[in-house]
Amino acid sequence: MPTDDPLYQRLQTLHSLLHHHAHRYYVLDSPEVPDAQYDAWFQELQAIEVQHPEWRTPDSPTQRVGGRVLDGFDTVRHRVPMLSIRTETDTEASGAVAFDTRIRKELELTDDTAPVEYVAEPKFDGLALSLRYESGVLVQAATRGDGEVGEDVTQNVRTIGQIPLRLDGRQRPVPAVLEVRGEVYMRRDDFEALNERQRQRIACGAKGEKTFVNPRNAAAGAIRQLDPQIAASRPLSFFAYGWGEMSAPEQGDPAFVTHFDGLMALNAWGLPVSDLVQRCAGADALVAYHRHIGALRDRLPFDIDGVVYKVNRLDWQKRLGFVTREPRWAIAHKYPAQEQMTTVLDIDVQVGRTGKLTPVAKLAPVFVGGVTVTNATLHNEDEVLRKDVRIGDTVIVRRAGDVIPEVVSVVTSASSPVRGPVFRMPVACPVCGSAVVRETGEVDHRCTGGLYCSAQRKQAILHYAQRRAMDIEGLGEKLVDQLVDARIIHGLPDLYRLGLSSLAGLDRMAEKSAGNLLEALERSKRTSLARFLYALGIRHVGEATAKDLARHFGSLDPVMDASVDELLQVRDVGPVVAHSIHTFFAQPHNRETVEQLRACGVHWDDEAGTGSAPQTLQGQTFVLTGTLPTLSRDQAKALIESAGGKVSGSVSKKTDFVVAGAEAGSKLEKAQALGVAVIDEARLLVLASGDAAP
Ligand code: IVH
């Protein structure tokens, strides 16, 4: 072997790096570097092996798909191998065109007017499972392992509520043997709640507990450990996306013509199939799907790392066949990674609207989750100490969903051994110098300065001006900074005392923008009670609670005068929220602020408020799908809610109506399958108005 060849030495280094990190990832469920870094090393090694095939040894990480079987689990040989999909990391939506061209060529399709039908699906970011049902009963659940042999994780999988233990044969007869293939995952909200619980446990001194790096590792960790009690305590979810072995139609069992048929059958048998699964005719529809899901990605309740396209016709899938272990009829297109490595340049402490102090890592700029990130939250002092993040460290940053980027962990092996000092929260507020306190039983430190603290004042004003609050366009962070720093504004009512002369002379405030701002302020005076209550920034009162309060009380004075007991009568209001509202209105300066705002002309119609619209849709559940002709999704939702109805994200037997617009997706088909009433926008408007004939 050419031991002195630098390229060969690099290959050796890559071997050991990849072995080390694959073990941490697959076996320990505790990765140290982001996936993107692992992938980069893997591809670098692949490239060297292409150049020098003679260096490719059987023990090269490229020769193993990953996932050594843990000692404690029985092994399962998959009767139909669990394949992987070819994954392309180009992030251009147009990548689908190349795939379609290849498929058409291989199928020798020449009629350009007949597009190939595909099924487009999200690429769920979890752990692949194969669920074996015999006579409709779940008899075995296995992980993918190396694709041929996986681990028997039946006990753990049985604890997942979303996975049926017995298939539902009421709509379609159940096959004698069925292996369902799909992904077990953890929803983002379940993940946040689990980590919050873990943080509390650690704070209470529980031994051996840790927080999880991301939902996928939390899910994989729950499935691949030996105690089913632990699996049961982790909130796991599941999506089916295919099948392996299935008994033959000769035995009277169903045969599918398309992949989509198969998914609909799985769904009818009681398995969750994502609503985002869609049939797409031709490359253009795939490109549109890629864009659509890309735009939705941040708002989805779970992590995805890309989209998958599959040829819909099963006879065509068969004709296309496989190359090594990947089907020719499917491809995955990845979105930008949600985790990356970077270095901590500094640790700042920021003061929030309620005085909460948050340590924030200032980072060397890094492109993650589709944007360049330079700040990431470190949550609180305990978290910084637990992760032991210091200036100069190399860290993993994660940006997923609408959640603010966070520092997940320190990569010790990549950090300099000479480290900055251990982080400590300041004892005085970095903005106003007031004392900082941490109340017993709380994880957060708070500035005691209240509205004396200009940071809290600024945040209160920004919150008030938000689109979902008073919607004052043009009142952004830079302007608020100037207005507060120049002592032009002390409290919220001062906003309505601004004039052209007070704005003139501020940075970037031409006469035109000053005029626009004054107009926006004027417009904001006409609002709704729910928005106003939300805008006040009462601790624990989010938009939903503000709406509930408005609906319950109908006007402001009864809210201001409500006792804690009266507040507890409001839907979803518990003791913490009730106390917070009561305390807020017990402060004379808060009541004074409200009176001054009203005196400045802020008003709303009690009668036309959310609470007093006729409750024509009381108790009815709606699902929206497709594009409606005149109403946006938010508007349709607001209309239904204001008439007392509920809007749900997925169709079930409990759904009363599916409101379908143009290009409605699988929700429409599901509604038809379940016999749920499907209506259009016009019918919705009639129902909401209360004029509908019974
Ligand atoms: S289909 C023959 N569909 O991605 C194709 N896989 O490399 C078999 N995955 O670990 C897989 N979402 O668990 C398929 N909608 C989807 C998927 C999906 C996520 C995972 C799968 C596997 C990897 C494929």
Side-chain angles (χ1 to χ4, degrees), residues 83-85 87 121-125 127-128 144 182-183 241 308 310 327 329-330:
L83 302 160
S84 54
I85 328 175
T87 302
E121 304 172 7
K123 188 168 189 299
F124 309 106
D125 201 5
L127 181 77
R144 178 164 172 267
E183 198 91 350
Y241 54 64
V308 181
K310 301 173 180 171
W329 45 264

Side-chain angles (χ1 to χ4, degrees), residues 230-485:
I230 295 180
S233 70
R234 302 268 169 84
L236 297 171
S237 304
F238 181 80
F239 278 130
Y241 54 64
W243 59 93
E245 192 187 349
M246 182 162 55
S247 44
E250 294 88 85
Q251 293 154 3
D253 287 334
F256 306 132
V257 177
T258 62
H259 177 69
F260 196 79
D261 282 350
L263 293 184
M264 287 294 128
L266 294 179
N267 199 218
W269 290 324
L271 289 148
V273 173
S274 167
D275 278 335
L276 300 170
V277 169
Q278 224 170 65
R279 279 176 298 183
C280 293
D284 291 349
L286 292 179
V287 170
Y289 183 83
H290 186 287
R291 293 223 172 93
H292 171 65
I293 299 292
L296 222 63
R297 185 187 188 195
D298 278 354
R299 282 175 283 144
L300 292 177
F302 46 83
D303 280 1
I304 61 168
D305 55 356
V307 288
V308 181
Y309 312 133
K310 301 173 180 171
V311 171
N312 196 22
R313 273 177 62 167
L314 298 177
D315 57 338
W316 281 358
Q317 286 192 3
K318 213 164 165 184
R319 233 164 85 194
L320 287 158
F322 303 87
V323 232
T324 55
R325 333 185 86 248
E326 296 166 350
R328 280 208 195 83
W329 45 264
I331 198 160
H333 278 226
K334 279 209 171 194
Y335 291 121
Q338 290 176 316
E339 285 171 15
Q340 289 293 356
M341 235 154 69
T342 185
T343 43
V344 177
L345 304 177
D346 201 358
I347 301 178
D348 258 14
V349 174
Q350 289 180 0
V351 186
R353 179 164 56 81
T354 56
K356 177 181 159 183
L357 265 53
T358 306
V360 175
K362 301 272 142 186
L363 305 168
V366 61
F367 190 70
V368 47
V371 300
T372 300
V373 166
T374 51
N375 290 321
T377 182
L378 288 160
H379 300 290
N380 55 52
E381 186 185 54
D382 288 359
E383 280 291 284
V384 191
L385 297 179
R386 198 177 56 74
K387 292 172 185 160
D388 192 19
V389 180
R390 310 207 200 161
I391 296 169
D393 283 354
T394 298
V395 291
I396 295 178
V397 228
R398 172 177 160 85
R399 180 191 172 272
D402 282 335
V403 189
I404 6 174
E406 64 164 351
V407 172
V408 174
S409 57
V410 174
V411 186
T412 318
S413 56
S415 297
S416 148
V418 191
R419 307 185 67 197
V422 173
F423 173 81
R424 280 289 162 211
M425 206 53 120
V427 290
C429 171
V431 176
C432 71
S434 302
V436 165
V437 292
R438 176 178 177 175
E439 269 149 42
T440 36
E442 292 236 349
V443 285
D444 294 323
H445 286 74
R446 275 174 207 286
C447 158
T448 52
L451 289 180
Y452 165 76
C453 176
S454 66
Q456 293 186 51
R457 236 166 25 230
K458 286 175 184 172
Q459 294 301 323
I461 295 168
L462 281 169
H463 174 80
Y464 183 82
Q466 251 188 72
R467 194 169 60 81
R468 290 173 171 285
M470 300 298 276
D471 192 15
I472 307 172
E473 209 185 317
L475 191 60
E477 207 172 315
K478 296 244 159 58
L479 185 55
V480 170
D481 277 352
Q482 292 186 66
L483 290 167
V484 172
D485 292 343

